[in-house]
Amino acid sequence: MFSVRDNKTFNTPRIHSKSFMEFLKAIEEKWQGKWEKAKIFEADPDPKKPKYFITVAYPYPNSPQHIGHGRTYTLADVHARYMRMRGYNVLLPMAFHYTGTPVLAMAKRLADNDKNLIHDFIKVYKIPEEKLKELTDPMAMAWHFHQEIKTGMKEIGYSIDWRREFTTIDPHYNRFIEWQFQKLRQAGYISRGSHPVGWCPKDGNPVGQHDTVGDVEPEIAEFTLIKFKQNNLAFPTATLRPETIFGVTNIWLNPNTKYVKATVDDEQWIVSKECVEKLTHLNRKVKVLETFEGKKLVGHYVENPATKTKIPILPADFVDPKNATGVVMSVPGHAPYDYVALENLGKTPSQLKEYGLTPETIESVKPISLIEVPGYSEIPAADAVKKMNIKEQTDPKLEEATKEVYRHEFHNGKMKPNTGKYSGLSVNEAKEKVKQDLIAEGKATTMYELLNRPVLCRCKTECIVKIVQDQWFIDYGKQEWKALAHKNLDEMEILPEELRSEFNNVIDWLHEKACARKSGMGTRLPWDKNWIIESLSDSTIYMAYYTIVKHIKEHKLQPAQLTDEVFDYVFLGIGKATEIAKKAKLDAKIIEEMHSEFMYFYPLDSRHSGRDLVPNHLTFMIFNHTAIFPEKLWPRQIATNGSVMMEGAKMSKSFGNIIPLREGVAKFGADPIRLSVLSTAELLQDAEFSPAIAKSMRERLERIYKFTSEVAKSSGNAKTSQNLLTAIDRWMLSRLQEHIRKATEAMDKLAVRKTINSVLYMLEQDFQWYQKRIAPQKEKRKNTIECVYRRVLDAQTRMLTPVAPHLCEELWEMMSGKGFVSLASWPTADESMLNTEVEENEALVKDVLEDTLNIIKATGMTPKKIYYYTACPWKWKVYLKMLEKASHGEVKMSEVMKELVAEDDLKKNVKEVANFAQKTLKEVNRMPQDRRERVLKMKALEEKAAIEDAKDFLKQRLKAQIMVYSEEDSQRYDPKNRSILSMPFKPAIYIE
RNA sequence: GCGGGGGUCGCCGAGCAUGGCCAAAGGCGCAGGCUUCAGGAGCCUGUCCUGUAGAGGUUCGUGGGUUCAAAUCCCACCCCCCGCACCA
């Protein structure tokens, strides 16, 4: 970094970090106030300007936003600010998503005095304790966080048009959603049916991952219940492997838990007591007739419905009454649990007696082999059990053994001849067939159960599966709809592009999505008011609503006035405005205004969100747009970003490592926070945040501020005559163009990290080099140098504005720019200032310095005098000739020499020429073509002049006297005859 | 299982889509020096190995291959992260 202290001409008052923080606070307030007053972010249709419409997924007001959220919003804001500087009429609006149950649930937890929640509210969210009571009202809570989030967005400086703010429970918005759903229904995309869901019987609500203790996703599987019969009494054994029915040797019941005899629909079943409630939730009619312990039935016989053999009921401790029916069929040949349980039983005759079983009964139960698997014996279960050395049926290793056997049998197993018509089928095929056949014959039925149970609801109740009846779905499974979604995606820009394939997959996977629930806030389904549209379904096309909400507010329209016909006209141009207006009792002009504003801003140019919304919200947005709007109004771009890591762990409430955004802004400043969340990672990756990063960003800004204010203070003129510019000035300006080009290219792809890198680091590096280089001439050329400074700072300030708008406004004002830098134009690279020659010359100086330092390092000497000898003209001639040849194919020594010798001036010293050509050959051949071309275009470099020009600088750096000669200079001092070693781009060096 | 992303010099992290000034940017850390009343900060130098002349050697998950040339292209394998829904 440049040192202010080095600039003796400047007399800087030192700003301490603390006071710089105060300074930041002051300018944040100052500029936010000015922006608001000047209404510069309020965008209205302007036919003279191209528009750019950006939206970000609106926040959910159940907690303050933290720095992690800040990344997504900041990125969108940076995008908006950039496009504004590129001359677009940019609209960036914001709203709040009240829909759903979480706020309700949280308010309830607060009312119930949930300790963890209260702790978070007070300690993390810094909510005064006396306010908590107020927040037990869900609306008050939502409103509180809504305001909290909004204030945070203002404090960090987002360029939002707040006139368009709304919430998703505003009655006007409800009307809009009703219209949307009518449209979906008319298009045939709404369906109805029954659907199994994870369910908390206490709360009476579906549970998803976020509703469970430990955030586990309830995994629902369909078990086959095979009915083993004792006369008319059915023992429905629950299994995931119905094909093994041919190997069933017995039935297991847990002897020490409660079972019931019950009427289930039209049959009599034996199931565990716990199973009853589950069956009820699965919509079966259950009536319990009798309750008893499992041991009561041990020793009874039942009939295998597939083989008609009579098999005994035996006791087993591993049987979990809470899993499915609590009745289990035993396949000891292929199920490790059954195998071990049977062995255990055989070894405990005393226990047998207790259940009235004889050793002979057990003896007669032999494993049956029905699947053939390569690499296993007749009895795979036995193999696995032996391999893992499992002795007890309670051994947790049994879980793994089961999986192993299943994996092998499923992929490589074949049904044996004793499986009747399934003989020869793969297990994979037989499984489904057997199941279907048994069900068709009435010998089996199915039951949903959680695979990963126990799953506990946040309220600590164990979850079960419920079949929700007559659930409403949006049917994303429709092929013709998928085709439209693909079409939209194909035409859309996806940032980062890597995620496109994920979108493609999601579009293919999606099927019916339950779109309404019985509880929560939101909009009621217009045709079935018992249902409330859930949050992922009422947030798919609301970007359109931003374009009209301004008018709704302005004209104080009533929800009832927003009829479906009004929306049809506004969004789809259907009907006649005057007629519709009359019917809706509003002014036709208003409808026209809304329509034209919508048509001006739509389609959506860019949609921003976290990448976690790819498989749901973002894809739903695509689908819904294609269902409702004509193709030319489909979204144009999706930009997603990864999350923010806090010291290595994902920042999230459940980890308790969040920093609320407002706190971060207060502590480190708005611009440093903006910079921090965008500079450490590119879109796809997770970004790392830490106070240290924010602090170092702030310090960097502080240095820029200090430096700029010094330059601004000086009388320096922004203009200087071209012919006063020296090589190094031209070099700086040339480099500047390159950095502008790179930063712009990166911004166009929203590679903000790269932009910041160019503007803040790469440009800065060159700028520092420039300052070092001109240091010896500073006084003499003050005016010109300051002019270069100003040019660099002007471009840097503009390019930094989208990420650090507050500081940049301040810098801009200091440098006496006109108006707001937020509205200034983004710099464009001036091709005419690109200068390869000065860049090559400067590279030469750098190389020379580096080589010299390397020699000093290797020899350990302290130089007094350093001599440089630049290559003589004939070497350059040979070099360029060889380059020329090399650009047409590989150069061969013999060929080159032939040509070279033909030249009169080279003929004289053939030996030296050959020697030099030999040395150059490799370099010339391996040089990349674009560089060859560049060098050939420049011809020979004025090396001597270039080094001569940097003499003062080298002297200062190397603390030695510098002499520069041309190789052929007759006056040269060259005791060791080093000069002969000189090559183009590589002067010879002699150090004394 | 299906799908997506990724493995780089102590750490973080560029570069790889357009192979070649790549021993590989930058930051952090570490070591030495300077500046400073001090704290912080700043500045300079070094930080894979070897080397008393600008050099050489070995590196970019593992193993192959393509090429005059591979961190970069191709193939196989190993390892890590994320998503799979009814919920924001």
Side-chain angles (χ1 to χ4, degrees), chain A residues 642-659:
Chain A
S643 50
V644 173
M645 312 286 280
M646 178 70 188
E647 317 269 356
K650 187 176 168 171
M651 196 179 282
S652 85
K653 247 184 298 171
S654 49
F655 287 117
N657 62 352
I658 63 167
I659 300 181

Side-chain angles (χ1 to χ4, degrees), chain A residues 877-889 891 899 924 929 932-933 936-937 939:
Chain A
K877 188 171 175 186
V878 172
Y879 183 77
L880 292 172
K881 251 202 147 49
M882 290 176 72
L883 266 187
E884 170 90 52
K885 271 189 82 68
S887 52
H888 301 298
V891 181
E899 278 185 44
V924 161
Q929 185 57 26
R932 276 190 202 127
E933 276 163 24
L936 283 169
K937 222 169 108 192
K939 307 283 188 224

Side-chain angles (χ1 to χ4, degrees), chain A residues 462-620:
Chain A
E462 185 172 340
C463 300
I464 59 173
V465 181
K466 176 178 175 66
I467 291 180
V468 179
Q469 282 209 292
D470 296 331
Q471 171 70 264
W472 291 99
F473 299 97
I474 297 180
D475 191 357
Y476 294 118
K478 282 225 154 54
Q479 283 312 315
E480 68 274 18
W481 200 5
K482 286 183 190 291
L484 290 176
H486 276 298
K487 186 156 193 239
N488 185 190
L489 181 66
D490 291 345
E491 292 161 356
M492 206 186 318
E493 186 178 11
I494 300 292
L495 296 176
E497 180 61 33
E498 284 94 321
L499 288 184
R500 183 180 297 278
S501 50
E502 193 168 334
F503 275 105
N504 267 314
N505 286 322
V506 173
I507 290 175
D508 290 336
W509 285 346
L510 285 177
H511 50 266
E512 296 104 326
K513 148 95 187 142
C515 64
R517 307 180 85 184
K518 294 273 175 145
S519 59
M521 299 194 238
T523 307
R524 290 185 181 275
L525 261 188
W527 59 83
D528 185 350
K529 302 277 185 190
N530 291 321
W531 293 90
I532 297 160
I533 295 164
E534 62 81 45
S535 59
L536 282 170
S537 301
D538 80 343
S539 58
T540 58
I541 59 162
Y542 69 90
M543 311 83 202
Y545 189 74
Y546 281 126
T547 66
I548 62 162
V549 63
K550 192 184 90 188
H551 301 279
I552 294 176
K553 287 184 177 182
E554 207 176 291
H555 301 294
K556 300 197 169 58
L557 301 188
Q558 293 304 307
Q561 292 177 291
L562 298 169
T563 60
D564 287 349
E565 290 79 29
V566 168
F567 285 125
D568 275 347
Y569 183 79
V570 169
F571 295 125
L572 304 172
I574 297 172
K576 276 196 74 176
T578 43
E579 284 167 21
I580 295 165
K582 208 169 154 198
K583 255 176 87 184
K585 294 195 180 87
L586 47 75
D587 193 339
K589 232 178 76 200
I590 296 173
I591 305 188
E592 291 289 10
E593 269 173 22
M594 290 198 283
H595 176 63
S596 69
E597 177 142 3
F598 169 72
M599 292 307 285
Y600 177 79
F601 281 115
Y602 242 60
L604 182 65
D605 295 287
S606 184
R607 176 69 175 169
H608 281 252
S609 96
R611 66 174 292 192
D612 48 328
L613 297 186
V614 170
N616 42 59
H617 164 72
L618 289 171
T619 309
F620 296 161

Side-chain angles (χ1 to χ4, degrees), chain A residues 397-409:
Chain A
K397 285 204 294 284
L398 272 167
E399 203 52 51
E400 202 187 313
T402 303
K403 277 195 183 130
E404 188 198 302
V405 172
Y406 179 66
R407 200 170 52 237
H408 284 99
E409 292 189 344

Side-chain angles (χ1 to χ4, degrees), chain A residues 120 124 170 334 392 426 455 495 602 631 684 713 840 885 937 939:
Chain A
D120 283 353
V124 185
D170 295 351
H334 300 274
E392 294 300 322
S426 71
V455 172
L495 296 176
Y602 242 60
E631 188 172 343
L684 197 60
K713 240 181 267 167
E840 284 294 340
K885 271 189 82 68
K937 222 169 108 192
K939 307 283 188 224

Side-chain angles (χ1 to χ4, degrees), chain A residues 162-194:
Chain A
W162 285 108
R163 294 172 305 164
R164 300 166 190 269
E165 176 186 2
F166 62 86
T167 85
T168 58
I169 55 168
D170 295 351
H172 305 81
Y173 185 79
N174 294 156
R175 276 296 307 128
F176 171 68
I177 296 301
E178 284 173 20
W179 172 78
Q180 175 194 351
F181 270 75
Q182 293 292 11
K183 285 281 145 198
L184 290 177
R185 201 174 185 208
Q186 285 157 20
Y189 293 141
I190 301 287
S191 66
R192 199 172 200 197
S194 298

Side-chain angles (χ1 to χ4, degrees), chain A residues 422-439:
Chain A
Y422 308 102
S423 169
L425 291 180
S426 71
V427 166
N428 181 353
E429 295 164 312
K431 187 176 155 176
E432 206 42 42
K433 273 213 161 85
V434 173
K435 177 177 169 185
Q436 293 312 328
D437 292 347
L438 287 173
I439 291 172

